[in-house]
Amino acid sequence: MLLPFDTLVHLDRSAGTPVYQQLANRLIALILEGALKPGMPLPASREMATLLNLHRKTVIAAYDELQQQDWIYTVERKGIFIAENLPEIKPRSFKAAARTGAYAENASFPYYEAMHIALPLYVKQTPKYTIDDGFPDPRLAPMDELLKASRELMRIPENRYGLISGASEGAWALREALTTHLNNSRGLNIHSQNILITRGGQMGIHLAASLLLKPGDKVIVAAPNYHLADLCFQQLGAHLVRVPVDAEGIDVDRIASILEKQDIRLLYIIPHHHQPTTVTLSAERRMKLLTLIRQYKLPVIEDDYDYEFHYSGGPLLPLASAPHQGQVIYIGSINKSLALPFRSGYMVAPPDFIAQCTYLRRMIDLRGDTLMEASLAKLFENGTIQRHLKKSSKLYEHRRDVLCDTLSKQLGSAVQFTSPQGGMAVWAQFDPSIPLVTLARRAGEMGLRMSDGSSYKYGVKDQNALRIGYAALNDEEIRAVVGILRKSVEGK
Amino acid sequence: MLLPFDTLVHLDRSAGTPVYQQLANRLIALILEGALKPGMPLPASREMATLLNLHRKTVIAAYDELQQQDWIYTVERKGIFIAENLPEIKPRSFKAAARTGAYAENASFPYYEAMHIALPLYVKQTPKYTIDDGFPDPRLAPMDELLKASRELMRIPENRYGLISGASEGAWALREALTTHLNNSRGLNIHSQNILITRGGQMGIHLAASLLLKPGDKVIVAAPNYHLADLCFQQLGAHLVRVPVDAEGIDVDRIASILEKQDIRLLYIIPHHHQPTTVTLSAERRMKLLTLIRQYKLPVIEDDYDYEFHYSGGPLLPLASAPHQGQVIYIGSINKSLALPFRSGYMVAPPDFIAQCTYLRRMIDLRGDTLMEASLAKLFENGTIQRHLKKSSKLYEHRRDVLCDTLSKQLGSAVQFTSPQGGMAVWAQFDPSIPLVTLARRAGEMGLRMSDGSSYKYGVKDQNALRIGYAALNDEEIRAVVGILRKSVEGK
């Protein structure tokens, strides 16, 4: 019985793969699917060529290929046969339905329970405006300078190998440049071996938490907290102990009383512009917290993702700059500062912790993109980044004022917020009579993509609030966005 | 008592941070270190300016800063004082030694035992030649085309937000383009929801293994194996069950007998050009293995990192193209194919597994660099990648021949190898009388960086072998490298 090869074999003449190779591949698939059984004859090349409307040479090339790979053999004057030494396979249905392959259905893998959290759908169509979470403006990104630095680095033949391989702890030049930058701008007192270059802040949180936490360990986090940090700790099996945040930051007295009674493995804190509420930890609470850190030898992850943007006076120094006996793991983001479309961040910690995190990072992701890291180092060295930070900080401060002003005037009592001292977003609490889910749906119809608040109520009471990022919106866009918000509030 | 401020305060006038800010930061540090205690007076601005050789306005700006942040307060006609509400801190030594900060020593974090494996030192100086592990040639990378595609994407305002944020599962366009490419070139039968874009192959291995393995689980790996896969499984707490590799690939009969007796959670396999030995799994063993996979519902990670480069006939189809009931998680590398200085790879698996891995990837690294992913999609769409693969494959085949030829002629019986059917490296076993450690040291003195074989003997008997990557070396470089190898063998 001859198989219906014309139905079973689909070839795409416009594809990058040669047609003879496609034919060989398809015949192997038929052998593996059991449609072509060991010992079965194949049509002669001329016959197959007619069946499939191909040139005979194409079929011969495919058969040669199959013979080389031991899938078929030729017997002089008898014909071509499927190899005999292959184990018998039960044939499957011959129906030529598309996409019936091994991946059509789900396999029966067991999964972690904690993993079952819905992911947001990826939407293809682009809305007119977006309210982000506090993103920098990519229009300001020093892309030309970065690409120029990249090209210069690539032009040097000796760099060739290093730029596509490189060190898991990050490009040496970037670690050096960051050391200088962090010592100058944040009063840190570190060497380059205190620095690990990560992809972004999230990788730093993950690496540090992976090293410090065992399933069942307790982690103090703010309530509310940056939800991806919460999820990261929970994914590692940790239990969250939530401590409220007020206008002075996280409640440090509460932390003190928890430390007295419970065994806490880690404190995760965003003291500068807390995510999501934007409040800054007061000097008094900072001092108290530092005493607790030393007293309990408490490991701390200090997430300082938008240190560079502070408008009311200078930024507050991080906990990491104070005496903490090496207990504070300091995490920062470069891409959040520079608006570059490449994720880049860093971790500051004692050298042995950096070495351990480097090892773990290698297991996860080998290393960063060395060319990009080395190019960033150049931009630190020639002052591009420092100039960019100065310029964008000024602009973001202006945009903060425009947003706060417009929100007050347009939305009045429907929204409550405090103008943030820094950062790239306003924490806006909407009147409970206007649920964010409704607001987001109405806004979506008018071309504005915005959060429905779900990521800000993870594990805490719903405050009907969201972060309104202003840094990436110019004045006109801010007014347009607030205009849509107003119409959505009014239900029009 | 006045503190020796001139010794305690070091200011860098050439730094990016303004001097007044540096002074404020340093004074805060002194408060935190306990050198400046609550209630203590500070020198008047004029006095401090003289002490530090600064303009008085600079000191006033620093004091303003400190006052705004509540670190100090002013009493009319009395002077400036350190805030009272700060907790008392024991003063530390006043010695102005450099780098005495909190990160100077190691903290007392507990670490995983398995982590204590030495990392290779990062060497700053660049040697003249490098023998890599099988890397593509960055001189061939379609960098200009990639950058052109990037610029075009960035020029479209609607792309702005999407290109610095984006989806954790990878840019939609790249998932689509890869689906077409993999279906055409490898006989896969998948949709884009079967694909997760990862950073490189290593991230795919880590994500899949993290989902599948619990501490104590058993994993079958080849002996020898790609050592970073071994380390990744061990870091997750798994036990390795090693199965030998011969000229036909991994010993599948041995796998069968292990499966009969032991509870195996995962098989990790590189069937195409095995790392490190370069052998290809025979058709017969493939069939047997597929039967076992289905029979035991055995989860498999198929690492197919250099599928694109096969010279003796077409490449063998992956296990993933055969009927495996969704059990085969297929991992590939884009950067290994294209020689681009950006890590990029993918995982093919059933949709629910992809969703779980996407979740985990988000915890680790949020997402990839969307701009880069979308640019790669353009390069698939306009045929650049397909042309690049054709061109580079031809060149690498030639370089393989040059290397094998030169090795035979120059080194004779000092080295044993089989010319590989594909890939980017030769598996070269040196005579036991010339230990690789000695060879690498001698070669290093002549400007050639090469492995001392340590990464190839992880967990297995030392074969005194290494991979000699040829793809990134031109004819002249191959001859120079082999020349140095010869001198190193001869001990000159």
Side-chain angles (χ1 to χ4, degrees):
Chain A
M1 182 201 79
L2 197 62
L3 286 181
F5 284 105
D6 51 341
T7 326
L8 290 171
V9 177
H10 295 278
L11 303 169
D12 179 358
R13 279 162 180 83
S14 67
T17 310
V19 172
Y20 87 90
Q21 185 68 53
Q22 292 183 48
L23 174 59
N25 288 353
R26 188 64 193 123
L27 291 174
I28 294 172
L30 290 173
I31 296 171
L32 292 170
E33 287 168 9
L36 291 169
K37 283 188 271 193
M40 225 172 162
L42 273 182
S45 56
R46 195 183 305 270
E47 195 182 350
M48 186 65 115
T50 313
L51 269 170
L52 299 178
N53 196 19
L54 292 171
H55 195 284
R56 195 185 152 206
K57 277 189 183 162
T58 305
V59 179
I60 290 175
Y63 283 4
D64 280 353
E65 181 72 46
L66 292 172
Q67 192 145 0
Q68 270 198 38
Q69 295 186 19
D70 293 328
W71 292 105
I72 60 172
Y73 65 100
T74 313
V75 182
E76 201 73 44
R77 283 163 212 267
K78 290 245 176 166
I80 299 149
F81 300 88
I82 307 297
E84 300 276 2
N85 56 354
L86 306 172
E88 182 82 28
I89 293 174
K90 281 228 174 114
R92 303 195 307 163
S93 158
F94 287 172
K95 271 188 227 148
R99 307 283 179 243
T100 53
Y103 289 120
E105 289 157 76
N106 287 326
S108 51
F109 296 125
Y111 304 117
Y112 288 133
E113 289 254 0
M115 291 287 176
H116 284 287
I117 289 178
L119 288 166
L121 262 175
Y122 183 54
V123 186
K124 271 171 65 183
Q125 54 271 42
T126 311
K128 189 143 192 242
Y129 302 105
T130 298
I131 292 181
D132 64 40
D133 195 50
F135 271 55
D137 192 337
R139 286 172 290 202
L140 308 180
M143 269 307 275
D144 291 341
E145 293 86 341
L146 189 79
L147 293 180
K148 193 176 157 228
S150 294
R151 271 193 301 268
E152 278 168 15
L153 284 163
M154 282 192 296
R155 215 172 285 144
I156 304 166
E158 285 72 28
N159 283 340
R160 192 153 40 93
Y161 176 72
L163 293 179
I164 68 162
S165 59
S168 300
E169 53 269 55
W172 176 84
L174 183 55
R175 295 170 82 206
E176 283 285 308
L178 259 180
T179 300
T180 307
H181 177 68
L182 294 177
N183 284 341
N184 283 335
S185 63
R186 287 153 172 80
L188 285 173
N189 194 8
I190 56 169
H191 282 301
S192 55
Q193 72 262 36
N194 291 114
I195 291 187
L196 168 69
I197 307 296
T198 58
R199 287 264 303 154
Q202 187 73 26
M203 184 177 269
I205 297 170
H206 173 82
L207 292 174
S210 297
L211 277 175
L212 291 168
L213 298 178
K214 287 189 301 294
D217 280 348
K218 289 180 186 169
V219 182
I220 294 181
V221 297
N225 190 29
Y226 175 50
H227 80 293
L228 286 176
D230 281 358
L231 290 174
C232 177
F233 304 141
Q234 289 181 321
Q235 189 267 318
L236 291 166
H239 295 301
L240 303 184
V241 181
R242 296 188 189 276
V243 171
V245 169
D246 59 29
E248 283 189 61
I250 198 165
D251 184 341
V252 174
D253 288 337
R254 183 78 76 90
I255 293 178
S257 73
I258 291 169
L259 288 171
E260 258 177 44
K261 282 171 255 159
Q262 300 185 47
D263 190 16
I264 299 294
R265 280 299 300 130
L266 178 65
L267 164 67
Y268 171 83
I269 188 167
I270 311 171
H272 201 210
H273 308 128
H274 173 251
Q275 223 291 11
T277 67
T278 77
V279 298
T280 294
L281 190 66
S282 69
E284 193 188 338
R285 287 195 186 174
R286 264 159 210 268
M287 299 286 290
K288 277 191 193 163
L289 184 56
L290 282 163
T291 310
L292 291 173
I293 292 166
R294 290 190 298 263
Q295 183 184 339
Y296 287 93
K297 284 212 160 283
L298 177 67
V300 176
I301 295 178
E302 179 178 26
D303 188 347
D304 202 10
Y305 66 104
D306 66 359
Y307 177 89
E308 310 285 358
F309 303 117
H310 196 83
Y311 320 122
S312 318
L316 291 182
L317 285 191
L319 297 172
S321 309
H324 54 74
Q325 293 166 357
Q327 295 295 120
V328 176
I329 298 152
Y330 182 72
I331 304 241
S333 167
I334 299 177
N335 53 294
K336 275 264 176 179
S337 304
L338 299 185
L340 288 168
F342 304 97
R343 290 185 61 69
S344 183
Y346 54 87
M347 173 198 291
V348 176
D352 68 340
F353 195 79
I354 292 294
Q356 298 272 322
C357 283
T358 303
Y359 178 82
L360 189 53
R361 192 250 162 88
R362 221 169 155 219
M363 294 306 105
I364 290 176
D365 181 31
L366 276 193
R367 61 183 154 257
D369 295 331
T370 308
L371 173 64
M372 198 47 54
E373 293 175 356
S375 306
L376 280 173
K378 290 270 174 216
L379 264 52
F380 269 112
E381 287 159 18
N382 67 24
T384 303
I385 289 177
Q386 293 84 340
R387 276 195 304 279
H388 170 85
L389 291 176
K390 202 171 279 183
K391 196 177 90 176
S392 51
S393 188
K394 215 165 179 173
L395 187 61
Y396 296 166
E397 180 178 9
H398 166 77
R399 288 175 178 177
R400 173 199 64 177
D401 293 340
V402 174
L403 175 65
C404 290
D405 203 49
T406 318
L407 273 181
S408 297
K409 282 187 187 143
Q410 294 279 318
L411 292 174
S413 63
V415 64
Q416 299 288 327
F417 65 90
T418 306
S419 174
Q421 292 187 302
M424 297 181 273
V426 164
W427 177 238
Q429 291 182 270
F430 279 81
D431 191 280
S433 67
I434 319 146
L436 276 182
V437 178
T438 311
L439 204 64
R441 189 176 43 71
R442 288 179 189 163
E445 284 161 14
M446 286 180 269
L448 170 64
R449 170 168 52 192
M450 62 182 279
S451 166
D452 63 359
S454 50
S455 61
Y456 305 114
K457 59 191 182 197
Y458 180 71
V460 292
K461 222 187 80 202
D462 185 5
Q463 299 195 56
N464 204 39
L466 86 162
R467 282 166 68 90
I468 305 184
Y470 48 76
L473 300 171
N474 63 29
D475 296 9
E476 194 188 325
E477 288 161 343
I478 289 174
R479 285 190 201 102
V481 161
V482 176
I484 296 178
L485 278 180
R486 182 191 183 158
K487 282 187 198 158
S488 306
V489 163
E490 290 167 352
K492 283 168 195 165
Chain B
M1 181 200 79
L2 197 61
L3 287 181
F5 284 104
D6 51 341
T7 326
L8 291 170
V9 177
H10 295 279
L11 304 169
D12 179 357
R13 278 163 182 81
S14 68
T17 310
V19 172
Y20 87 90
Q21 185 69 53
Q22 292 184 47
L23 174 58
N25 289 353
R26 189 63 195 124
L27 291 174
I28 293 171
L30 290 172
I31 296 172
L32 293 171
E33 287 168 11
L36 290 170
K37 284 187 269 190
M40 224 172 162
L42 274 183
S45 54
R46 195 181 306 269
E47 195 183 350
M48 185 66 113
T50 313
L51 270 170
L52 299 177
N53 196 19
L54 291 172
H55 195 284
R56 194 184 154 207
K57 277 189 183 164
T58 306
V59 180
I60 290 175
Y63 282 5
D64 280 353
E65 181 72 44
L66 292 172
Q67 191 145 359
Q68 269 198 39
Q69 294 186 19
D70 293 327
W71 291 107
I72 60 172
Y73 64 99
T74 312
V75 181
E76 201 71 43
R77 284 160 210 268
K78 289 243 173 167
I80 298 149
F81 301 89
I82 308 297
E84 300 277 2
N85 57 355
L86 305 171
E88 182 84 27
I89 293 174
K90 281 228 172 116
R92 302 194 307 163
S93 157
F94 287 171
K95 270 187 228 150
R99 308 284 179 236
T100 53
Y103 289 118
E105 289 158 77
N106 286 326
S108 51
F109 297 124
Y111 304 117
Y112 289 133
E113 289 254 1
M115 292 286 178
H116 284 286
I117 289 179
L119 288 166
L121 261 176
Y122 184 53
V123 186
K124 269 174 66 183
Q125 54 272 44
T126 311
K128 189 142 191 243
Y129 302 103
T130 299
I131 293 182
D132 64 41
D133 195 51
F135 271 56
D137 192 338
R139 286 171 290 202
L140 308 179
M143 268 309 275
D144 292 341
E145 292 87 341
L146 189 79
L147 293 179
K148 194 176 158 228
S150 294
R151 271 192 301 269
E152 278 167 15
L153 283 164
M154 282 192 297
R155 216 173 285 143
I156 304 166
E158 285 71 28
N159 283 340
R160 190 153 42 92
Y161 176 71
L163 293 179
I164 68 162
S165 59
S168 300
E169 53 268 57
W172 176 83
L174 183 55
R175 296 169 81 206
E176 284 285 307
L178 259 180
T179 300
T180 308
H181 177 69
L182 295 176
N183 285 341
N184 284 335
S185 63
R186 288 151 171 82
L188 284 174
N189 194 9
I190 55 169
H191 283 301
S192 56
Q193 71 262 38
N194 291 114
I195 290 187
L196 168 68
I197 307 297
T198 59
R199 286 263 303 153
Q202 187 73 25
M203 183 177 270
I205 297 170
H206 172 82
L207 291 175
S210 297
L211 277 175
L212 291 168
L213 298 178
K214 288 189 302 291
D217 280 348
K218 289 180 185 168
V219 182
I220 295 181
V221 297
N225 190 30
Y226 175 49
H227 79 292
L228 287 176
D230 282 357
L231 290 174
C232 177
F233 304 140
Q234 290 180 320
Q235 188 266 318
L236 292 166
H239 296 301
L240 303 185
V241 181
R242 298 189 189 274
V243 172
V245 170
D246 61 28
E248 284 189 61
I250 198 166
D251 184 342
V252 174
D253 287 337
R254 183 77 76 89
I255 293 178
S257 73
I258 291 169
L259 288 172
E260 257 176 45
K261 283 171 256 158
Q262 300 186 47
D263 190 18
I264 298 294
R265 280 301 299 130
L266 177 65
L267 164 68
Y268 171 83
I269 188 167
I270 311 171
H272 201 210
H273 308 129
H274 173 249
Q275 224 291 8
T277 67
T278 79
V279 298
T280 294
L281 190 66
S282 69
E284 193 188 338
R285 288 194 185 176
R286 262 158 212 268
M287 299 286 291
K288 277 191 193 162
L289 185 55
L290 282 163
T291 310
L292 292 173
I293 291 167
R294 289 189 298 262
Q295 184 185 338
Y296 288 94
K297 285 211 158 283
L298 177 67
V300 176
I301 294 177
E302 180 178 26
D303 189 346
D304 202 9
Y305 67 103
D306 67 359
Y307 177 88
E308 311 285 359
F309 303 117
H310 195 82
Y311 320 123
S312 317
L316 291 182
L317 285 191
L319 297 172
S321 309
H324 54 74
Q325 293 167 356
Q327 295 296 121
V328 176
I329 298 152
Y330 182 72
I331 306 244
S333 167
I334 299 176
N335 52 294
K336 274 265 175 177
S337 304
L338 298 184
L340 288 168
F342 304 98
R343 290 185 61 68
S344 184
Y346 53 87
M347 173 198 291
V348 176
D352 67 340
F353 194 80
I354 291 294
Q356 299 271 324
C357 283
T358 303
Y359 179 83
L360 189 54
R361 193 252 161 88
R362 222 171 154 216
M363 294 306 105
I364 291 175
D365 181 32
L366 276 193
R367 63 183 153 256
D369 295 331
T370 309
L371 172 64
M372 200 46 55
E373 293 176 357
S375 306
L376 280 172
K378 289 271 173 217
L379 265 52
F380 270 113
E381 287 160 18
N382 67 24
T384 302
I385 289 177
Q386 292 84 340
R387 275 195 304 278
H388 170 85
L389 292 176
K390 203 171 281 182
K391 197 177 89 176
S392 52
S393 188
K394 215 165 179 174
L395 187 62
Y396 296 167
E397 180 178 7
H398 165 77
R399 288 176 177 176
R400 174 200 64 177
D401 294 340
V402 174
L403 175 65
C404 290
D405 203 48
T406 318
L407 274 180
S408 297
K409 283 188 188 142
Q410 295 279 318
L411 293 174
S413 64
V415 64
Q416 299 289 326
F417 64 92
T418 307
S419 174
Q421 292 186 301
M424 298 181 273
V426 164
W427 178 238
Q429 291 181 272
F430 280 80
D431 190 280
S433 68
I434 319 147
L436 276 183
V437 178
T438 311
L439 204 62
R441 191 178 41 72
R442 288 179 189 163
E445 284 162 14
M446 286 180 269
L448 170 63
R449 170 168 51 191
M450 64 182 280
S451 166
D452 63 359
S454 50
S455 60
Y456 306 114
K457 58 190 182 198
Y458 181 71
V460 292
K461 222 186 79 202
D462 186 3
Q463 298 195 57
N464 204 40
L466 86 162
R467 282 165 68 89
I468 306 185
Y470 47 77
L473 301 171
N474 63 29
D475 296 9
E476 193 188 326
E477 289 161 343
I478 288 174
R479 286 190 200 102
V481 161
V482 177
I484 295 177
L485 279 180
R486 182 192 182 155
K487 282 188 199 157
S488 306
V489 163
E490 290 166 353
K492 283 170 196 164

